[in-house]
Amino acid sequence: RKEVEQDPGPFNVPEGATVAFNCTYSNSASQSFFWYRQDCRKEPKLLMSVYSSGNEDGRFTAQLNRASQYISLLIRDSKLSDSATYLCVVNKEPGNQFYFGTGTSLTVIP
Amino acid sequence: DTGVSQDPRHKITKRGQNVTFRCDPISEHNRLYWYRQTLGQGPEFLTYFQNEAQLEKSRLLSDRFSAERPKGSFSTLEIQRTEQGDSAMYLCASSLAKDTEAFFGQGTRLTVV
């Protein structure tokens, strides 16, 4: 079983739509969780950290469910510029390195 | 620019040749990571350092791969006797401390012909 699993998509949504991505992780000892964004042929860039209580940054909301070992990302009022691949990232265990999901591709259509 | 920098950005090499990539992390970051990414996949972990100590190596890292971070600052990744399957983007990242977010360099794209 992969350490981090994501639905690769693609998700094609109209501008203004709300879209949600989920990610599951296998190691219950994991403590750090992030969402990264990667544009085509570019490096991954941090979108947001994911906290136990859930957190919001503008149109983006991240949630963590430790009991079910999944993380979600909600994007409201999608913009064309949101088109990218969204990578779920989980640390192997506290203090150790990070595992990436395969990424979920999002295209926002005018 | 005080971000993570990688050199070279692109490398084309013939099968069987050795290649070496360099990564300069953000200066105060003591953790440095190497990942490999192929098309349509997320980055795959290769190895990481805390200061000059190499703390973990992935099973993906065959004996043809070696990484160093001799003074706890920049790092090099060497691939000996390259194979076509080594063609990928090699990404370096650094973080300030354990469990904090990692910042990536722009990567070195390797093509083995």
Side-chain angles (χ1 to χ4, degrees), chain B residues 10-46:
Chain B
H10 303 274
K11 178 72 177 178
I12 300 174
T13 191
K14 291 183 178 179
R15 191 174 50 186
Q17 298 294 305
N18 300 342
V19 294
T20 300
F21 309 142
R22 177 180 169 123
C23 171
D24 287 88
I26 295 171
S27 59
E28 63 269 26
H29 286 187
N30 59 36
R31 288 217 163 188
L32 185 148
Y33 310 83
W34 284 100
Y35 286 84
R36 179 173 69 187
Q37 187 174 27
T38 53
L39 198 62
Q41 300 297 314
E44 293 176 299
F45 168 74
L46 293 178

Side-chain angles (χ1 to χ4, degrees), chain B residues 80-96:
Chain B
Q80 296 183 324
R81 305 181 303 282
T82 52
E83 301 172 357
Q84 286 189 317
D86 297 331
S87 296
M89 174 75 87
Y90 289 83
L91 292 161
C92 175
S94 70
S95 66
L96 183 61

Side-chain angles (χ1 to χ4, degrees), chain A residues 2 31-32 34 36 38 41-44 46 49 87 91-103, chain B residues 31 33 35 37 39-43 45 48 56 89 91 95 98-107 109:
Chain A
K2 287 187 176 181
Q31 292 290 335
S32 301
F34 307 94
Y36 278 70
Q38 187 171 28
R41 302 182 76 83
K42 300 283 190 180
E43 75 276 19
L46 178 69
S49 302
L87 296 159
N91 75 335
K92 178 182 176 182
E93 57 194 37
N96 268 350
Q97 38 79 5
F98 300 98
Y99 286 114
F100 283 73
T102 54
Chain B
R31 288 217 163 188
Y33 310 83
Y35 286 84
Q37 187 174 27
L39 198 62
Q41 300 297 314
F45 168 74
Y48 85 104
E56 188 172 347
M89 174 75 87
L91 292 161
S95 66
K98 64 180 185 180
D99 300 334
T100 60
E101 64 270 22
F103 295 86
F104 282 83
Q106 293 179 301
R109 186 171 297 281

Side-chain angles (χ1 to χ4, degrees), chain A residues 8 11 22 66 76 80 97:
Chain A
F11 285 68
N22 289 327
R66 286 188 185 275
R76 291 182 299 278
L80 296 177
Q97 38 79 5

